[in-house]
């Protein structure tokens, strides 16, 4: 039984996806959706996330209404859908607009808390003003469908850090547009917990992703984030300090757990989910 004092944890999409990784083509989990949701529910999670290709597969098989029935039967309280990119580039609207429409459909039917978006890989940019109006347009469309837009900064992307992303959100200035704060991207960008505390407000934080990592980066930043994340509390980062920092800012949850690693992918899904949840819970203050 889950007691009220237990933090609500969400198995973000890669945590439950099995042996599949970002930028695989396609990014479809080898775990059938019914089996996947059963594994997530039986290991005590309050919610889950699905990536775009898995949403396409669900729509084309059981339909979003069928998926919503499974969600209701399992008693999940939180659903997340991702990921949209290229949304700032009108010349690519023929590619990303249909993807956005599917994410909007999924969010509306499934009751998703937000649609997670990212930016192009590369060196972080100093001037992000060109993203303000595109973000406002996305947030306006999302609000019509009962959801919100959540940008995830990454140190190997155009929006490279949480302080830069928080400043961007102040420019956008819409309650329907906020941030996903992934701890891996925070410390790999070199942002201290003190800097994080100074830059963010509770209203800006739509989602949080907990994870851990070794002090040393292996390979590129992208390879390190995809293949070498550690379970919470089993790496060299201050996961309890990160949680306390966000609680002090005013974030009350739910808390996503995003474990991405070759080791995690090699485990049976139920076992992987159990270890991801139990290690994350140990990082919360008693």
């Amino acid at each position: 039984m889950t007691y009220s004092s237990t933090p609500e944890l969400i198995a973000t999409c890669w945590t439950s996806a099995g042996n599949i990784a970002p930028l695989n083509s396609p990014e479809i989990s080898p775990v059938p959706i019914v089996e996947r949701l059963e594994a997530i529910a039986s290991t005590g999670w309050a919610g889950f996330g699905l990536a775009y290709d898995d949403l396409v597969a669900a729509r084309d098989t059981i339909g979003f209404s069928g998926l919503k029935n499974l969600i209701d039967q399992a008693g999940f309280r939180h659903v997340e859908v991702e990921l949209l990119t290229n949304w700032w580039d009108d010349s690519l609207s023929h590619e990303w607009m249909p993807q956005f429409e599917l994410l909007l459909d999924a969010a509306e039917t499934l009751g998703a808390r937000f649609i997670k978006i990212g930016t192009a890989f590369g060196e972080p940019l100093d001037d992000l003003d060109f993203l303000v109006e595109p973000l406002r347009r996305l947030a306006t469309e999302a609000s019509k469908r009962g959801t919100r837009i959540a940008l995830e900064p990454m140190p190997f992307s155009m929006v490279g850090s949480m302080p830069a992303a928080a400043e961007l959100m102040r420019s956008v200035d819409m309650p329907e547009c906020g941030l996903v704060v992934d701890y891996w991207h925070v410390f790999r960008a070199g942002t201290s917990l003190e800097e994080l505390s100074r830059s963010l407000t509770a209203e800006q934080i739509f989602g949080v992703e907990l994870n851990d990592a070794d002090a040393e980066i292996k390979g590129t930043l992208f390879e390190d984030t995809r293949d070498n994340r550690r379970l919470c509390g089993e790496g060299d980062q201050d996961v309890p300090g990160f949680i306390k920092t966000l609680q002090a800012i005013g974030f009350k949850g739910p808390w996503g757990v995003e474990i991405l690693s070759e080791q995690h992918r090699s485990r049976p899904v139920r076992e992987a989910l159990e270890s991801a949840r139990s290690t994350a819970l140990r990082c919360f203050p008693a």
Side-chain angles (χ1 to χ4, degrees):
M1 180 179 291
T2 302
Y3 296 93
S4 59
S5 59
T6 303
E8 285 196 307
L9 298 185
I10 295 171
T12 63
C13 67
W14 301 110
T15 301
S16 71
N19 194 16
I20 190 77
L23 297 194
N24 284 163
S25 185
E27 294 178 342
I28 296 177
S29 170
V31 186
I33 189 67
V34 174
E35 181 184 326
R36 188 174 174 183
L37 294 194
E38 285 175 349
I40 297 168
S42 67
T43 48
W45 298 84
F48 67 94
L50 288 177
Y52 177 81
D53 284 351
D54 282 324
L55 289 166
V56 172
R59 180 200 63 186
D60 293 347
T61 52
I62 60 174
F64 290 150
S65 58
L67 181 54
K68 180 66 164 68
N69 289 337
L70 293 176
I71 291 167
D72 292 343
Q73 288 165 17
F76 290 120
R77 292 181 293 282
H78 308 286
V79 180
E80 297 177 356
V81 297
E82 62 177 89
L83 178 84
L84 183 72
T85 188
N86 291 330
W87 41 268
W88 59 90
D89 189 341
D90 286 341
S91 73
L92 295 175
S93 61
H94 61 286
E95 294 177 5
W96 66 259
M97 277 293 287
Q99 296 172 348
F100 187 39
E101 284 298 328
L102 181 134
L103 289 164
L104 287 169
D105 288 347
E108 184 174 34
T109 305
L110 306 179
R113 303 163 58 235
F114 52 78
I115 295 170
K116 187 159 85 167
I117 67 171
T119 54
F121 288 3
E123 287 295 313
L125 302 178
D126 293 329
D127 185 357
L128 299 173
D129 288 348
F130 73 101
L131 297 177
V132 171
E133 285 307 320
L135 281 168
R136 286 175 176 162
R137 287 197 295 270
L138 291 187
T140 298
E141 292 305 311
S143 68
K144 293 175 185 174
R145 307 289 283 275
T147 190
R148 303 177 295 175
I149 296 297
L151 173 68
E152 182 172 16
M154 305 177 193
F156 47 85
S157 75
M158 290 156 56
V159 184
S161 72
M162 289 299 156
E167 188 61 36
L168 175 60
M169 289 305 122
R170 282 188 278 276
S171 296
V172 174
D173 193 25
M174 289 180 68
E176 301 87 5
C177 195
L179 299 172
V180 172
V181 186
D182 181 329
Y183 188 33
W184 194 97
H185 298 311
V186 170
F187 58 74
R188 286 293 192 238
T191 303
S192 69
L193 295 180
E194 184 184 359
E195 287 173 307
L196 191 69
S197 179
R198 285 201 306 266
S199 61
L200 285 175
T201 64
E203 294 75 28
Q204 292 175 324
I205 307 171
F206 287 6
V208 169
E209 294 176 351
L210 304 175
N211 39 63
D212 209 335
D214 298 326
E216 183 185 343
I217 298 166
K218 296 187 184 75
T220 65
L221 275 173
F222 177 73
E223 288 165 346
D224 195 57
T225 199
R226 180 192 64 195
D227 298 334
N228 302 314
R229 294 193 189 204
R230 300 286 297 275
L231 293 167
C232 295
E234 295 189 359
D236 295 320
Q237 311 304 325
D238 183 9
V239 184
F242 174 69
I243 291 169
K244 288 174 186 170
T245 297
L246 290 185
Q247 289 174 327
I249 293 170
F251 182 72
K252 295 178 169 57
W255 305 79
V257 180
E258 184 170 70
I259 307 300
L260 267 164
S261 70
E262 291 176 338
Q263 185 181 38
H264 185 76
R265 289 191 284 276
S266 71
R267 292 175 168 162
V269 168
R270 192 177 302 269
E271 177 190 318
L273 283 162
E274 285 174 347
S275 59
R277 184 172 183 272
S278 63
T279 50
L281 286 175
R282 286 201 288 270
C283 291
F284 281 82

